[in-house]
Amino acid sequence: MGDKLKRYLFKGDKTIWAVFFILCAISWVEVFSATSGQIKTGSYWSPIIKHTTFLVAGIVVVWIIHNMKVAWIKKTTHVIYWMGVVGLLWAQFFGPRINDSARWIIIWGMTIQPMEFAKMGLVMVTALISAQHQDEEGTDRFALKRIAMYAALPVLIIFKENLSTAGIILVTIYAMMFVSRYPKGQMWKILGGAVAAGIIGITLILSAPESWGEDDGFKQKIITWKHRIVDAVKSEPVTAENYVIKNPQRTYSHIAIASSHILGCGPGNSVQRDFIPHAQSDFIYAIIIEELGLLGGIIVLLLYMTILFRCGMIAKKCEDPYPAFLVMGVGMIITMQALLHMYISVGNFVTGQPLPLISQGGTSVIINCVYVGMILSISRYAKKATANPKQSFEEIDNENNPII
């Protein structure tokens, strides 16, 4: 009875299920620790109750999505994409501005980040277009134009509000194109164009006048980028006082890591959580290392690499290109965001990027759980595809014993 119940509740790749629950457990412990020391007023339990609610809702989302047929997921591609685009536009013109950014919309009292829907929509659109343009040599050259048309508007809006997120999206799309075997000439041109655009962009940012920092809006963001670039690459020594004043996030995250040793100070015993701004979200990896040690930090890194590795194994078993491309895209966007977050916590460059499935959040927690549900749904298809290699995922979905 117990085994039958497990097989009913937890279908699909068992390793992904295990990694997901481990990350949820780490998230619950570390978010509670990171927020408990920062509470000045209000309920002591309020932050963790809110986060627990999102985690439970996320687990329910994973279970629902992992029971969906791959064909159903495919049909939601354009719905999710346009939800993201419309949401981004709404946030730009009608949403609240928080920290001089228009990243949120409020619906029925709930704060939602449409950026997360746009990210997911672009991954799904890229997988769909790449699958539609397959030939014997890979993806034909006409797919790139379609992807560029879909990506242009949302990426430009996201670039204006969050440069690092725009970068993650573009790198993920490029990696998906590589996996989908786009023409080599196109891939080299894109890479060369990206390098040239990066050099020109950094040059323009570094040449921006400091007076722009006194303005509101995009000019101020450019100066913020300028200071972050200069701060990350300059080599002259700074005093301890200036180090703290200029960048408290980097300073105290480095202190947290430096004081961690192999096993850390133990869950709930962080000292630097009281000093790191946004410790429960943008710098939670530093708190994880402080409390769980270098060993804990390595384990978390390996958990994300396991997700990417399992996505690759699942993709190999897929006979149809669409689920293969989608599962790789989902695995890559989760892993790339995680690696960037970890680099920010231990390196010299500072920007806001939550750690998927661990950092405190609302929309990001739910969207990342949708990603996990997609991986599990496709893993169920891949298992059936191995036994029926000549059938498409639509045929497998609609056979007498369907994936439900």
Side-chain angles (χ1 to χ4, degrees):
M1 180 66 181
D3 291 339
K4 288 183 178 180
L5 183 61
K6 287 180 182 178
R7 286 196 296 269
Y8 174 74
L9 291 177
F10 307 115
K11 305 169 188 174
D13 192 286
K14 299 300 186 290
T15 302
I16 294 294
W17 273 115
V19 170
F20 171 66
F21 281 120
I22 292 171
L23 289 174
C24 285
I26 294 172
S27 174
W28 193 87
V29 172
E30 295 304 321
V31 168
F32 189 23
S33 175
T35 56
S36 62
Q38 298 175 349
I39 297 172
K40 305 300 181 183
T41 59
S43 172
Y44 178 83
W45 293 97
S46 179
I48 194 58
I49 289 174
K50 183 178 180 180
H51 187 61
T52 302
T53 302
F54 279 113
L55 286 178
V56 172
I59 292 171
V60 172
V61 167
V62 170
W63 189 84
I64 292 172
I65 301 297
H66 103 292
N67 276 293
M68 290 179 65
K69 301 175 181 179
V70 178
W72 295 354
I73 294 174
K74 182 179 179 180
K75 290 177 181 178
T76 65
T77 298
H78 289 94
V79 174
I80 293 173
Y81 170 81
W82 285 110
M83 283 175 60
V85 172
V86 172
L88 288 172
L89 291 171
W90 185 272
Q92 287 296 303
F93 296 103
F94 306 107
R97 299 195 69 86
I98 302 175
N99 295 329
D100 203 36
S101 294
R103 304 180 188 178
W104 301 267
I105 59 176
I106 299 176
I107 300 177
W108 297 321
M110 297 184 296
T111 303
I112 298 173
Q113 270 197 319
M115 194 179 299
E116 296 294 333
F117 288 95
K119 283 167 56 180
M120 181 165 61
L122 285 170
V123 169
M124 297 176 73
V125 163
T126 301
L128 180 60
I129 293 175
S130 299
Q132 290 173 341
H133 286 263
Q134 287 296 296
D135 56 30
E136 293 181 356
E137 298 180 357
T139 308
D140 66 47
R141 61 188 182 87
F142 300 105
L144 177 60
K145 182 178 180 181
R146 290 185 63 195
I147 291 175
M149 290 174 62
Y150 276 96
L153 179 60
V155 169
L156 284 173
I157 296 174
I158 293 171
F159 172 83
K160 175 179 175 292
E161 300 299 333
N162 192 316
L163 178 60
S164 60
T165 298
I168 289 173
I169 293 171
L170 292 175
V171 172
T172 300
I173 291 175
Y174 187 81
M176 291 179 69
M177 292 168 63
F178 180 82
V179 171
S180 306
R181 296 185 302 157
Y182 276 64
K184 291 182 180 179
Q186 284 187 334
M187 297 298 288
W188 281 112
K189 288 178 181 178
I190 294 170
L191 182 60
V195 172
I199 293 172
I200 294 172
I202 291 174
T203 302
L204 292 175
I205 289 171
L206 293 178
S207 62
E210 288 293 327
S211 59
W212 284 8
E214 300 173 2
D215 297 331
D216 294 329
F218 190 61
K219 286 185 177 180
Q220 190 178 64
K221 286 182 179 294
I222 292 175
I223 298 303
T224 300
W225 296 344
K226 177 181 178 179
H227 291 168
R228 287 175 176 175
I229 293 171
V230 171
D231 193 41
V233 301
K234 72 177 184 179
S235 57
E236 64 266 21
V238 294
T239 65
E241 293 78 8
N242 287 338
Y243 193 67
V244 174
I245 293 171
K246 287 186 176 181
N247 208 321
Q249 289 176 313
R250 189 180 70 178
T251 300
Y252 292 114
S253 66
H254 285 184
I255 292 172
I257 293 167
S259 61
S260 63
H261 304 296
I262 300 299
L263 298 178
C265 60
N269 294 320
S270 170
V271 175
Q272 305 308 320
R273 66 189 176 193
D274 294 334
F275 306 103
I276 303 177
H278 309 295
Q280 74 279 12
S281 54
D282 294 348
F283 283 84
I284 199 166
Y285 189 62
I287 304 301
I288 290 173
I289 294 179
E290 183 185 12
E291 296 191 346
L292 304 182
L294 296 178
L295 180 61
I298 292 171
I299 289 173
V300 170
L301 171 62
L302 291 177
L303 289 172
Y304 287 106
M305 298 311 296
T306 300
I307 291 176
L308 184 61
F309 174 77
R310 292 305 301 172
C311 285
M313 297 300 292
I314 293 167
K316 282 186 177 181
K317 296 178 182 178
C318 294
E319 295 296 325
D320 282 271
Y322 172 73
F325 298 158
L326 179 59
V327 76
M328 284 304 301
V330 168
M332 286 187 287
I333 201 163
I334 292 174
T335 307
M336 287 182 185
Q337 182 170 328
L339 292 176
L340 179 58
H341 173 99
M342 294 175 191
Y343 172 74
I344 291 166
S345 296
V346 305
N348 292 328
F349 189 76
V350 177
T351 185
Q353 206 58 239
L355 187 60
L357 299 170
I358 290 184
S359 290
Q360 185 185 46
T363 311
S364 62
V365 170
I366 300 301
I367 293 297
N368 281 298
C369 287
V370 172
Y371 288 146
V372 174
M374 287 180 177
I375 295 171
L376 291 167
S377 174
I378 296 171
S379 74
R380 296 176 60 216
Y381 151 75
K383 184 177 180 180
K384 294 231 175 191
T386 303
N388 303 278
K390 294 184 179 181
Q391 289 184 307
S392 67
F393 65 86
E394 289 93 346
E395 291 171 331
I396 291 175
D397 281 348
N398 294 320
E399 64 183 4
N400 293 332
N401 184 25
I403 300 175
I404 57 174

